[in-house]
Amino acid sequence: MTTTREQDRVLIFDTTLRDGEQSPGATMTHEEKLEIASLLDEMGVDIIEAGFPIASPGDFEAVRAIAAASRNAVICGLSRANFADIDRCWEAVRHARQPRIHTFIGTSPLHREITKLDPEGMIARIHETVTHARNLCDNVQWSPMDATRTEHDFLCRVVETAIKAGARTINIPDTVGYTAPRESAALIAMLRERVPGADTIIFATHCHNDLGMATANALAAVEAGARQIECTINGLGERAGNTALEEVVMALKVRNDIMPYRTNIDTTRIMKISRLVAAVSGFPVQFNKAVVGKNAFLHESGIHQDGVLKNAATFEIMRPEDIGLTATNIAMGKHSGRAALRAKLRDLGYDLADNQLNDVFVRFKALADRKKEVYDDDLVALVADNATTTEHDFIQVRRLRVVCGTEGPQEADLTLAIDGVERHIDATGDGPIDAAFNAIKMLFPHKARLQLYQVHAVTEGTDAQATVSVRMEEEGKIVTGQSADTDTVVASVKAYVNALNKLIVRRQKTAPAAMS
Ligand code: KIV
Ligand code: ZN
């Protein structure tokens, strides 16, 4: 039976939009961040860390817009331990129904060396910055970065200082993913026992996954008394990532018998947000990833299939529908109508407006004509692809023909509409993708650098759709373009153009005069 005691409630703090977005290449657009924040709020995340407002005007605007649109969740912004950061953070979060300022400083010997603060200097800095934050906002969170490599005596002193200055949440980051479960638990227990005022605040755990122990470390911290878990969707984050939200939430749900804590998360929303984050970040979920991996509920061996058919519990510890996966993966075909498509998409977690449904329906019919069976994953790719293009895009793909053969070079014959004017060119390259990308560059010269090109088959079979991610960089700005099609070259060209359109939107935002 699930516990209802308030002391057993674990707050979920999602930092996909801050720590997650910090992973190289995972940059998201303003609209994508708003969409993710809205889903996080809807699924019951308690605190959303929406960004690092002083990092860039784009970050500031995103945090401000998320704060203004927030419904239930606390909206938090990150700031270093200085007044300018904290003021900027407050400006961004202040319009949230429930704002929070999160401020941090590196406390381990290595970090003290970098900030050139001796222990007394650091204590003074913590006192003045947390006090300043508290004068602006009631709800202040403080973090000693690299806490797991900070001397215990000093850690107790800095935590006590932050509590005295008014922090209501003390987050204990394992910044470099160095700790292990027993140590993670012991650290929280030690702080709860030794720090005066520890019983008046909430301890949070923030783990990185460098040694693959982030989920275990976070859960161990909860068992020792932490009541806020910091995590990201799909475990996105710097280097090996952060604790994955879906893992800790499902672990607490499935093993509630031995970990009697509860969260507010509607777990049936997990798949939808996992897919969205994978699509917009360009970081696909590994097939065997716990909970949300494509194979997490797939049974290949005969013995397992036989067992699951007789009683799913033989080899399944959670039900697919608990995370928002439909129980059946019934293929849709070209005879399926609009109502069936709507119902199927609802099952998959997509409640589309009528005009969106019409667009997806047209594309679904076209796909069903080319592909024998249209599976759930095909539909998810269609919906995602539909969201990547609009009739207002600066560059639009009109026609593409490629000529391939054993004798190179390959040729691409491409027509794009650029700002409403159709332009056409023939280009060659080392393979059809290279030829097609060369054609784009000739039609729309640009300095953006291709950082990543990635192709994934959505389903099995030679008629499978391919989803393509293209990551591009221009003057430090990184964007990821996405597209899906049964033709890999078409998907690649559309993904490249999608990335260029995102860069154009970014240029317009930062320098309106730059685009004529
Ligand atoms: O990993 C870390 O230490 C952080 C802090 C800024 C909380 O992300
Ligand atoms: Zn972190």
Side-chain angles (χ1 to χ4, degrees):
M1 206 180 78
T2 313
T3 170
T4 53
R5 296 189 321 166
E6 206 34 49
Q7 63 262 45
D8 299 330
R9 168 92 148 82
V10 174
L11 300 171
I12 296 295
F13 176 110
D14 182 278
T15 183
T16 306
L17 298 173
R18 199 279 297 168
D19 217 331
E21 214 229 1
Q22 256 169 247
S23 46
T27 322
M28 302 166 195
T29 65
H30 184 84
E31 290 69 27
E32 288 162 351
K33 288 182 188 177
L34 274 169
E35 193 181 352
I36 290 172
S38 165
L39 287 185
L40 291 170
D41 203 341
E42 231 172 78
M43 76 191 284
V45 162
D46 299 283
I47 305 112
I48 299 173
E49 187 162 55
F52 195 171
I54 204 153
S56 71
D59 256 52
F60 177 83
E61 285 308 330
V63 178
R64 195 161 67 163
I66 290 167
S70 62
R71 283 154 293 172
N72 303 308
V74 171
I75 305 299
C76 171
L78 184 69
S79 49
R80 288 165 300 189
N82 66 67
F83 287 10
D85 268 47
I86 293 170
D87 291 345
R88 189 78 172 145
C89 178
W90 175 237
E91 264 315 299
V93 297
R94 63 185 300 175
H95 297 294
R97 287 195 178 172
Q98 303 183 71
R100 174 181 291 190
I101 296 176
H102 178 190
T103 179
F104 75 99
I105 191 162
T107 52
S108 65
L110 282 166
H111 284 275
R112 296 203 300 266
E113 215 174 290
I114 291 168
T115 45
K116 304 213 179 331
L117 285 171
D118 63 14
E120 295 316 312
M122 184 160 285
I123 298 276
R125 174 76 72 86
I126 294 163
H127 182 76
E128 67 187 11
T129 49
V130 175
T131 305
H132 182 67
R134 251 324 282 273
N135 286 336
L136 297 169
C137 180
D138 267 0
N139 191 342
V140 172
Q141 168 168 333
W142 181 76
S143 298
M145 186 167 73
D146 209 9
T148 52
R149 294 192 299 169
T150 301
E151 311 90 318
H152 284 192
D153 287 350
F154 187 59
L155 189 62
C156 288
R157 280 191 70 201
V158 290
V159 168
E160 183 182 350
T161 305
I163 295 175
K164 282 200 176 125
R168 282 174 31 182
T169 303
I170 300 290
N171 176 37
I172 303 299
D174 182 27
T175 306
V176 289
Y178 180 69
T179 199
R182 225 177 306 148
E183 188 183 67
S184 170
L187 191 59
I188 298 289
M190 184 279 294
L191 290 167
R192 289 183 71 209
E193 194 182 307
R194 287 182 52 187
V195 176
D199 54 341
T200 63
I201 55 97
I202 288 183
F203 277 107
T205 173
H206 177 113
C207 301
H208 281 265
N209 204 30
D210 299 65
L211 292 172
M213 292 190 278
T215 296
N217 290 338
L219 293 172
V222 167
E223 291 188 308
R227 286 294 176 269
Q228 176 176 303
I229 299 180
E230 307 211 349
C231 47
T232 59
I233 302 294
N234 299 339
L236 195 66
E238 295 253 38
R239 307 181 310 279
N242 289 62
T243 302
L245 179 146
E246 62 279 6
E247 292 178 15
V248 283
V249 167
M250 288 313 289
L252 292 178
K253 186 177 167 90
V254 173
R255 294 313 311 274
N256 203 254
D257 53 334
I258 55 165
M259 292 182 285
Y261 312 102
R262 73 195 156 83
T263 72
N264 189 39
I265 301 296
D266 173 358
T267 62
T268 64
R269 313 281 179 125
I270 284 177
M271 266 328 287
K272 182 175 177 188
I273 192 153
S274 163
R275 287 173 179 136
L276 177 67
V277 169
V280 304
S281 65
F283 278 62
V285 174
Q286 79 193 52
F287 282 13
N288 58 341
K289 161 87 180 60
V291 184
V292 291
K294 202 180 161 89
N295 291 358
F297 291 90
L298 215 68
H299 305 281
E300 188 73 33
S301 91
I303 298 173
H304 286 210
Q305 284 178 347
D306 187 50
V308 168
L309 286 174
K310 288 183 179 130
N311 178 354
T314 47
F315 290 100
E316 278 180 6
I317 56 165
M318 35 191 165
R319 294 177 310 163
E321 52 271 38
D322 286 345
I323 60 156
L325 270 176
T326 37
T328 51
N329 190 3
I330 295 167
M332 303 266 293
K334 60 178 168 192
H335 301 298
S336 310
R338 199 179 300 257
L341 180 67
R342 186 191 284 281
K344 186 72 176 173
L345 289 175
R346 274 218 183 107
D347 265 359
L348 292 170
Y350 297 97
D351 216 349
L352 300 189
D354 284 347
N355 59 334
Q356 289 171 309
L357 182 76
N358 288 344
D359 289 349
V360 174
F361 186 67
V362 172
R363 302 183 64 170
F364 158 69
K365 283 286 180 185
L367 181 64
D369 265 343
R370 279 182 286 153
K371 199 170 177 297
K372 279 197 288 296
E373 289 168 314
V374 180
Y375 292 100
D376 291 1
D377 285 341
D378 285 315
L379 293 175
V380 169
L382 264 193
V383 174
D385 191 47
N386 203 53
T388 62
T389 49
T390 77
E391 58 196 286
H392 307 297
D393 286 342
F394 191 76
I395 311 174
Q396 302 189 7
V397 180
R398 289 282 194 259
R399 275 177 303 282
L400 171 70
R401 264 173 55 83
V402 287
V403 180
C404 301
T406 47
E407 309 299 318
Q410 277 68 32
E411 290 166 26
D413 169 354
L414 177 67
T415 306
L416 297 178
I418 301 176
D419 200 10
V421 180
E422 282 207 4
R423 294 182 199 168
H424 166 261
I425 203 145
D426 290 320
T428 56
D430 191 4
I433 309 285
D434 192 47
F437 284 8
N438 285 341
I440 298 174
K441 272 184 249 163
M442 290 160 79
L443 288 173
F444 185 75
H446 55 272
K447 294 212 177 77
R449 227 169 36 84
L450 184 67
Q451 275 197 337
L452 175 96
Y453 167 73
Q454 207 164 245
V455 184
H456 283 277
V458 175
T459 54
E460 325 286 289
T462 49
D463 64 351
Q465 285 195 95
T467 48
V468 176
S469 303
V470 166
R471 190 184 302 151
M472 302 192 70
E473 186 267 340
E474 184 187 64
E475 290 172 4
K477 296 188 191 78
I478 298 172
V479 292
T480 303
Q482 291 266 344
S483 193
D485 200 282
T486 46
D487 185 317
T488 308
V489 189
V490 172
S492 303
V493 165
K494 288 192 328 195
Y496 194 124
V497 165
N498 180 231
L500 284 179
N501 280 322
K502 286 184 179 177
L503 275 178
I504 290 164
V505 170
R506 283 210 164 193
R507 277 191 221 160
Q508 281 167 332
K509 275 190 186 149
T510 46
M515 293 298 308
S516 52

